[in-house]
Amino acid sequence: MKDKVIAVVTAGLTTPSSSRLLADQLAEAVRDELSGRGIGSRIELIEVRDHAHDLTNNLLTGFPSSSLREVLETVAGADALIVVSPTFSASYSGLFKMFFDVLDDQALAGKPVLLAATGGTERHSLVLEFALRPLFAYLKALPVSTAVYAASTDWGPNAAGLRPRIAQAATELVAALHNETPTQADPFENPTPFEDLLNS
Amino acid sequence: MQFGVFSVGDVTTDPTTGTTVSEGERIKAMVRIALKAEEVGLDVFAQGEHHNPPFVPSSPTTQLGFIAAQTSKIILSTSTTLITTNDPVKIAEDYAMLQHLADGRVDLMMGRGNTGPVYPWFGQDIRNGIQLAVENYALLRRLWREEVVDWEGKFRTPLQAFTSTPRPLDDVPPFVWHGSIRSPEIAEQAAYYGDGFFHNNIFWPITHTKRMIELYRQRFEHYGHGAADQAIVGLGGQIFMRKNSQDAVREFRPYFDNAPVYGHGPSLEDFSRETPLTVGSPQEVIERTLSFREHFGDYQRQLFLIDHAGLPLKTVLEQLDILGEEVVPVLRKEFAALKPAHVPDAPTHASLKAAAERARDLETIEEPPTVAAVEESSR
């Protein structure tokens, strides 16, 4: 079977960031889960921070730079996504949102997504449900039901609580992968014949 | 190959002086640019159509008619005519009228317009953009080609026994280009009718423009209008020139950095790399423009944007001098030398009229003999 491509989009700002730390653990768990089923995988890690200027430029000019275009194509072509945002002002970060604002709005249609977020306190954990989940519902992606939130304490005394959630979410993502991911029709390869446009 | 300039018609504050020209001054400046374009030997002047500030040209045929009266050679065109929010009946009338006044020196470029509120201001909805372009243009073609039109569609009130006046000059409708930045449906539309396709590639990377043009060429062939390399392609370009490259960059940078659309975004260097923007010496502009042919094949029309972002009229006229003296003569020679014989030039009123006459002659010759004639000859 072909290796599964898992795109990991993480929008932490510091280096290293706790979002990246969580992203790596999620990617690792998904890779293990796949290999446990005898499926190979390729992890494509995308640090949104590296494309911050290009994202702004894309919003202003309407087109992505060549390096950003490659990244957007990687995400559109992946079999599944892991997304991690830090929690800013009770929501996903602006930079995280910008990435999905410039992505083609059909690019994630039917794609399994593992939602994750980080924050200073666990009081914000529902950001996953009231901010990230609706965003990915709008993009017609298929977020798995377990989403993973890591607060500062999860990296210390509460780590035992985080691990099973990571494992559960990874299992769900891999299970969702077994369904065929629909691919987007290319309007340049198969243009709508003009008679159809004329008669519609 | 045709060379020309296209103007958006924006009123933008000159970032180097803080001066903002009045609408009247900008309108007159556009006229001055058109006259100068003819004077320096360019082939085309095209202007945009907008219905919101900071743009002035809401009424292109008024302006183009005024320019037509003061010119004798240059082709007057649009960049673009809003096929979505204008009444196709009014487009048919306005541009046939202009054709007569300008002795056929008129063609049009259809565009949809991407300013959301303009649609409701004219009773339309941007979500119907493609459908409006398809239906309105189909009607426009009939109005120019059929004397009496009965018509019913989705977006406009029906027509019963309607004749659009004046009829197109010599019964030859103006040539039409279809401009689109990203919609494959419009490349398809241009190909279906055998019309021209223009890509205003000034804001877009070459890889994207190439896909659009390749699709148009391939579908042009599919619909039987000729081989793919005979399709009629036009391209935009954006240039600023000084004798020395560094002077051009130094002078243009504040305009670039503050320009509407891409200002405060990518650097001039990044944008020059990603898009056809060329800021440098006349020789650099020549080389860059010639390179378009390698990406898009032999094409028929090259329009340059030279008058936006608050550039003073004096500077724009200097750009036209450089274009006319140093750039276009070289480009004409080089492009002509590279173009194979089977690749046509862009249609003009004269060439379309000649083609229509040939088609009529052919019809007379090939008309099947009548029954009476056959009986006569067998006797």
Side-chain angles (χ1 to χ4, degrees):
Chain A
M1 192 193 273
K2 238 175 79 205
D3 284 359
K4 294 290 183 191
V5 179
I6 313 295
V8 183
V9 179
T10 169
L13 292 181
T14 53
T15 318
S17 65
S18 55
S19 291
R20 171 63 185 274
L21 207 55
L22 181 59
D24 286 344
Q25 296 200 1
L26 289 165
E28 199 54 41
V30 170
R31 190 208 303 274
D32 289 350
E33 186 69 29
L34 279 167
S35 74
R37 301 185 189 201
I39 304 167
S41 57
R42 196 175 84 232
I43 307 291
E44 295 280 358
L45 183 85
I46 294 147
E47 282 273 11
V48 182
R49 184 188 203 283
D50 295 344
H51 308 282
H53 282 268
D54 281 350
L55 287 169
T56 304
N57 291 347
N58 188 346
L59 288 179
L60 297 185
T61 63
F63 69 86
S65 68
S66 37
S67 61
L68 179 58
R69 187 167 60 246
E70 271 176 42
V71 170
L72 297 174
E73 281 167 4
T74 300
V75 169
D79 295 297
L81 238 63
I82 298 171
V83 300
V84 191
S85 176
T87 306
F88 282 9
S89 304
S91 188
Y92 36 68
S93 75
L95 189 60
F96 177 84
K97 178 67 159 43
M98 271 167 75
F99 186 84
F100 294 98
D101 283 347
V102 305
L103 191 67
D104 185 291
D105 63 0
Q106 295 301 313
L108 299 188
K111 226 183 269 301
V113 178
L114 195 170
L115 306 175
T118 57
T121 154
E122 56 271 29
R123 292 194 188 93
H124 287 296
S125 60
L126 279 173
V127 70
L128 289 164
E129 306 306 326
F130 67 71
L132 272 82
R133 200 175 292 280
L135 169 63
F136 287 89
Y138 168 77
L139 293 169
K140 300 188 174 65
L142 303 174
V144 296
S145 49
T146 300
V148 182
Y149 184 89
S152 299
T153 48
D154 286 308
W155 306 109
N158 290 350
L162 183 61
R163 270 193 298 274
R165 286 191 72 77
I166 290 176
Q168 174 64 27
T171 310
E172 288 173 15
L173 188 73
V174 171
L177 258 176
H178 280 292
N179 302 322
E180 267 311 298
T181 309
T183 50
Q184 209 188 330
D186 185 342
F188 287 89
E189 293 300 326
N190 294 303
T192 310
F194 194 73
E195 280 89 350
D196 294 357
L197 287 175
L198 209 49
N199 298 329
S200 69
Chain B
M1 186 158 160
Q2 298 171 338
F3 296 90
V5 290
F6 63 143
S7 177
V8 183
D10 59 318
V11 175
T12 304
T13 302
D14 182 334
T16 64
T17 60
T19 342
T20 311
V21 296
S22 70
E23 289 182 318
E25 285 168 320
R26 182 67 171 114
I27 291 167
K28 289 292 176 68
M30 287 174 75
V31 171
R32 188 73 195 82
I33 289 164
L35 302 188
K36 179 82 175 178
E38 168 159 300
E39 189 187 311
V40 301
L42 299 190
D43 309 298
V44 185
F45 172 79
Q47 66 159 76
E49 176 188 330
H50 298 275
H51 300 275
N52 53 323
F55 306 102
V56 290
S58 57
S59 180
T61 51
T62 307
Q63 186 157 9
L64 292 175
F66 185 75
I67 294 167
Q70 300 171 71
T71 51
S72 58
K73 294 193 293 286
I74 198 160
I75 294 172
L76 306 169
S77 187
T78 59
S79 55
T80 62
T81 294
L82 302 175
I83 187 64
T84 47
T85 47
N86 280 309
D87 182 357
V89 170
K90 200 72 180 88
I91 298 178
E93 294 174 341
D94 283 348
Y95 285 88
M97 186 90 183
L98 181 63
Q99 244 196 333
H100 283 274
L101 291 171
D103 300 313
R105 290 183 288 126
V106 175
D107 60 38
L108 295 86
M109 192 201 304
M110 299 300 167
R112 302 204 304 282
N114 61 2
T115 309
V118 173
Y119 286 78
W121 288 333
F122 288 84
Q124 301 297 353
D125 183 334
I126 195 169
R127 289 169 299 181
N128 297 327
I130 295 277
Q131 272 317 303
L132 282 162
V134 168
E135 179 178 304
N136 286 350
Y137 183 63
L139 172 57
L140 174 61
R141 282 183 66 88
R142 287 191 55 197
L143 293 168
W144 276 337
R145 285 166 175 81
E146 296 169 36
E147 192 92 22
V148 182
V149 172
D150 292 339
W151 179 89
E152 202 178 329
K154 217 157 63 185
F155 298 110
R156 191 201 185 282
T157 194
L159 296 169
Q160 216 35 256
F162 179 76
T163 298
S164 171
T165 59
R167 303 304 303 150
L169 177 67
D170 303 317
D171 270 325
V172 175
F175 184 69
V176 169
W177 303 77
H178 299 266
S180 177
I181 292 175
R182 61 196 308 175
S183 305
E185 294 92 338
I186 299 302
E188 174 75 12
Q189 181 185 33
Y192 177 79
Y193 291 112
D195 292 342
F197 180 70
F198 186 93
H199 198 282
N200 171 18
N201 60 334
I202 63 175
F203 299 134
W204 280 77
I206 274 173
T207 43
H208 171 81
T209 306
K210 201 172 158 176
R211 280 198 97 187
M212 287 291 282
I213 289 174
E214 274 171 7
L215 174 66
Y216 161 67
R217 287 189 184 281
Q218 182 198 323
R219 300 298 286 173
F220 182 92
E221 181 168 310
H222 169 83
Y223 286 114
H225 300 296
D229 64 356
Q230 292 174 312
I232 308 297
V233 172
L235 289 175
Q238 190 184 4
I239 54 174
F240 187 83
M241 299 171 287
R242 287 300 178 202
K243 198 183 237 353
N244 296 315
S245 206
Q246 294 90 327
D247 293 341
V249 171
R250 197 176 310 120
E251 188 177 343
F252 190 65
R253 191 183 298 280
Y255 296 96
F256 177 88
D257 285 347
N258 294 288
V261 184
Y262 50 74
H264 310 286
S267 69
L268 192 152
E269 286 73 14
D270 282 350
F271 206 68
S272 300
R273 198 173 47 246
E274 297 276 352
T275 77
L277 170 67
T278 312
V279 182
S281 66
Q283 187 54 37
E284 285 171 292
V285 168
I286 290 169
E287 280 163 21
R288 191 76 185 279
T289 309
L290 280 170
S291 78
F292 293 171
R293 183 186 165 277
E294 288 154 32
H295 296 285
F296 311 120
D298 290 286
Y299 62 107
Q300 284 74 9
R301 175 174 285 187
Q302 173 68 53
L303 299 184
F304 293 108
L305 175 67
I306 56 166
D307 73 331
H308 74 316
L311 284 160
L313 177 61
K314 181 174 166 291
T315 309
V316 176
L317 298 178
E318 286 163 7
Q319 295 297 307
L320 279 164
D321 275 325
I322 305 173
L323 260 183
E325 280 163 27
E326 299 177 47
V327 175
V328 168
V330 180
L331 288 177
R332 271 193 212 290
K333 220 175 88 202
E334 299 274 335
F335 274 115
L338 292 164
K339 188 179 80 123
H342 70 280
V343 173
D345 288 326
T348 59
H349 183 75
S351 77
L352 291 171
K353 191 181 163 194
E357 278 160 8
R358 268 200 308 280
R360 263 200 299 275
D361 291 349
L362 225 59
E363 257 172 45
T364 337
I365 295 164
E366 286 183 357
E367 215 166 310
T370 59
V371 178
V374 171
E375 281 172 2
E376 185 72 27
S377 65
S378 63
R379 217 170 268 164

